[in-house]
Amino acid sequence: MNSMTGFGRATLLVDGLQCTIEIKSVNSRFLDLNIRSPKQVNSVEHIIRKCIQKTLHRGKVDIYVTLQDVGDRTKTFLINSALKTQIQELLVAEKFYATPQDAPLSAVMSISNDWVQVKDDEITEESLTTLITETTTNALEALIKMRQAEGIHIQQDLLQRLSKMSAIIDDINEHKTAAIVAYKENLRTKMMEFVENLNITVNEDRLLQEVAIMADKTDITEEIVRFRSHVVQLTNTLKKDEPIGRKLDFIIQEMNREVNTIGSKAMDITLTDHVVQLKCELEKVREQVQNIE
């Protein structure tokens, strides 16, 4: 399992052009990509998006792309002959030289060197594609390593909390019978007092039957069985090497539903205390799961 939080950076040099790509990801319900890149990358930006969509499944992902000319690329010189001739004619008109041909290049450049332009040869589409693809791949590998490392820490924490919740539910299961017996006795006593206050006669067997029916409604055996089943599901899911965040969300919702039902049926202070502990642990688990891909 992987966390959705991570950072990856890679730099690559191809044909004198250096590319640096940084990828940062944080929690998000879905995969949300935001690419910031220079206009030279517009034609191949889809490659970055495709690489990330193929690798990541959830998270808000910010990608920063920078291109830098390191000075090793082939240059192209462009001569503005009209401007050069115009400068030479100016030098003749000012009587520095007799004819335009007599004006040396040094004199022309002393006036202006705008007539000579140096331009980097444009990087080919193939080279740019290779540069962006490899840099993105390397940055993604670094990001995934960090997400995996974070995922391991989250997994260990969740497994510890599941173990703690299993212990709590075992305590609840151990105490449930005594709680039901105490509830029955308390309910029977109160009903007998109520009948005596009304000064009426009732069938004691019928009264005990009603007490038993009401007490049975507080039985939490089914909820305990389902909760334990969800713990097993959650534990097994945590060990899978695939995106599991949404499945974990669903399982935790079901676990929370069982705990709420146990809490509504609990007629004993000890059970109530255990339910509070379970809810606290479940909330911590839910917060952690929000960061799982």
Side-chain angles (χ1 to χ4, degrees), residues 202-264:
V202 296
N203 186 307
E204 187 171 351
D205 290 338
R206 178 61 179 171
L207 179 63
L208 293 177
Q209 184 180 8
E210 291 298 326
V211 169
I213 292 173
M214 295 183 67
D216 285 342
K217 292 181 180 180
T218 66
D219 184 60
I220 54 176
T221 301
E222 292 184 11
E223 288 75 14
I224 291 174
V225 171
R226 285 195 292 266
F227 188 90
R228 284 172 168 169
S229 174
H230 294 324
V231 170
V232 173
Q233 282 183 304
L234 197 60
T235 302
N236 293 336
T237 302
L238 285 172
K239 298 176 181 179
K240 292 183 178 180
D241 187 19
E242 60 185 46
I244 58 174
R246 290 192 178 93
K247 185 175 181 179
L248 293 180
D249 279 336
F250 174 76
I251 296 174
I252 290 171
Q253 288 177 17
E254 294 301 307
M255 294 174 74
N256 195 59
R257 184 176 289 110
E258 303 303 337
V259 173
N260 286 336
T261 304
I262 293 173
S264 65

